[in-house]
Amino acid sequence: MIQPLIVKDKMKIGILGLGLIGGSLGFDLKSQGHYVLGVSRRESTCKKAMEIGSVDQAATELSLLSTAEIVFICTPIGLIVPQVEKLISHIPKTTIITDVGSVKTPIVQGISPLWKNFVGGHPMAGNTDVGIDAAQRNLFVDRPYVITPADNTPSHAIKILEEIVRSIGSIIYHCSPEKHDRAVSWISHLPVIVSASLVAACLDESDTEIFQLAQNFASSGFRDTSRVGAGNPELGVMMAQYNRQALINSLHQYRHNLDHFISLIEQENWEMLTEQLKLNQQSRPRFL
Ligand code: NAP
């Protein structure tokens, strides 16, 4: 359920990067009555964002954001810190900056020394499509939204971000950037690489007849398990690049578990395999 904002009814909110996340945020912030200013790289994206009603005004120049009270940085991960470096000469010191990047430690470390009113954030919502055409309404409803403030983050900046996040229907969590990155490596970044290697393994089938049959037979199970590994390559690479160590640790543990499953099957240890699958069946709901 979308709640009304109580910190300030109507705000001027900036969004930098009008893609899936930025465009979707624009829809929901506008529907809350805020005035939304959007900046994106391409003129065509800005035009589209205004046409579909995701933003009130859009331009390719950062100066459009000079009157925004809070700016959400929604560019690809690797551009978040460089874009903030460019943005800060256009905005007053009172402006709150937040970002939606899927990795937090390098972003918080990069922006905190540049901007006092910065609060890191990560909406745990999305899909495998990209760009303004993929933007959708109510994307964040009932989804976790992780806020990663530092010890010296001003409390009013955290409060305003929290109210906005609550108003778009998300469930707020707080943790340190480092803990965020370790946790998302398990449930978001590891699944991308596991799913990518599943698709890659299928592509390695050398018998053309079997390969063709597998394509014909693929149905809901393959759709579910291959979805996150066949999404936006740029996002997958940036997750690996910017959350490298946590992802490597998760992948090593995963390889250990995979080896365990292989040996149970080689040994025809159906009893242990059943126990493991039963445990998984019972435990999965704790994650969802
Ligand atoms: P996306 O659909 O590719 O959107 C990013 C947008 O940024 C592009 O549409 C592009 O707009 C714009 N952009 C690129 N370079 C720019 C620049 N130099 N200046 C201004 N705008 C620029 O990607 P996304 O999925 O929304 O991801 C955006 C951020 O959200 C990432 O940091 C990601 O980690 C985070 N995130 C993603 C998901 C997910 O599931 N996808 C979930 C949570 C968080 P143009 O069309 O103008 O080029």
Side-chain angles (χ1 to χ4, degrees):
M1 255 277 284
I2 294 195
Q3 306 284 333
L5 188 75
I6 57 166
V7 165
K8 192 173 167 192
D9 274 349
K10 306 273 181 279
M11 296 181 83
K12 252 191 176 180
I13 300 183
I15 297 176
L16 175 52
L18 297 170
L20 165 68
I21 299 296
S24 302
L25 255 180
F27 276 133
D28 293 354
L29 295 174
K30 248 171 77 66
S31 76
Q32 291 289 304
H34 302 297
Y35 192 80
V36 180
L37 302 162
V39 169
S40 211
R41 180 179 46 181
R42 287 178 292 173
E43 193 75 57
S44 56
T45 300
C46 297
K47 199 164 161 260
K48 183 80 199 261
M50 284 191 287
E51 272 168 19
I52 61 174
S54 156
V55 296
D56 292 288
Q57 251 182 290
T60 53
E61 296 83 32
L62 288 168
S63 56
L64 181 74
L65 302 176
S66 62
T67 57
E69 293 156 272
I70 177 166
V71 178
F72 285 80
I73 313 292
C74 303
T75 61
I77 299 171
L79 292 175
I80 292 176
V81 177
Q83 284 301 311
V84 168
E85 284 167 348
K86 289 184 186 158
L87 172 69
I88 57 181
S89 62
H90 297 274
I91 55 174
K93 296 219 174 322
T94 49
T95 308
I96 297 164
I97 297 180
T98 185
D99 77 297
V100 298
S102 310
V103 174
K104 295 271 59 89
T105 308
I107 290 172
V108 173
Q109 282 174 353
I111 300 179
S112 295
L114 304 174
W115 203 251
K116 189 164 167 267
N117 279 315
F118 169 70
V119 194
H122 180 202
M124 302 298 303
N127 62 50
T128 47
D129 298 328
V130 292
I132 189 66
D133 291 325
Q136 62 186 83
R137 293 173 198 276
N138 299 322
L139 181 68
F140 310 100
V141 174
D142 292 336
R143 301 290 173 173
Y145 197 119
V146 190
I147 295 177
T148 61
D151 291 342
N152 57 352
T153 308
S155 57
H156 82 277
I158 301 172
K159 195 165 178 225
I160 288 176
L161 178 62
E162 281 174 351
E163 290 302 334
I164 293 173
V165 165
R166 205 170 284 125
S167 77
I168 59 171
S170 295
I171 304 155
I172 299 173
Y173 291 90
H174 294 90
C175 71
S176 69
E178 295 76 15
K179 285 183 180 166
H180 164 277
D181 291 352
R182 284 176 58 192
V184 296
S185 87
W186 285 119
I187 51 81
S188 179
H189 304 173
L190 174 65
V192 168
I193 303 300
V194 168
S195 172
S197 44
L198 165 76
V199 178
C202 294
L203 292 175
D204 281 345
E205 170 58 62
S206 55
D207 184 322
T208 51
E209 191 187 350
I210 301 297
F211 185 63
Q212 185 58 54
L213 286 172
Q215 287 180 46
N216 295 344
F217 298 166
S219 188
S220 52
F222 188 76
R223 185 181 302 119
D224 292 346
T225 51
S226 63
R227 185 179 66 81
V228 295
N232 178 5
E234 191 183 23
L235 185 56
V237 171
M238 286 198 186
M239 281 173 176
Q241 210 177 341
Y242 290 92
N243 200 18
R244 184 174 160 273
Q245 195 52 55
L247 178 58
I248 289 172
N249 293 347
S250 305
L251 279 165
H252 280 302
Q253 181 59 43
Y254 176 73
R255 185 159 65 187
H256 173 76
N257 289 67
L258 192 59
D259 284 341
H260 179 59
F261 275 104
I262 292 171
S263 73
L264 290 180
I265 296 166
E266 280 175 347
Q267 292 158 17
E268 302 188 27
N269 191 341
W270 310 131
E271 204 178 317
M272 279 275 284
L273 184 60
T274 307
E275 285 310 306
Q276 182 64 59
L277 294 180
K278 270 188 188 164
L279 179 67
N280 293 1
Q281 191 179 38
Q282 284 160 11
S283 307
R284 183 172 178 265
R286 286 158 52 191
F287 290 88
L288 295 167

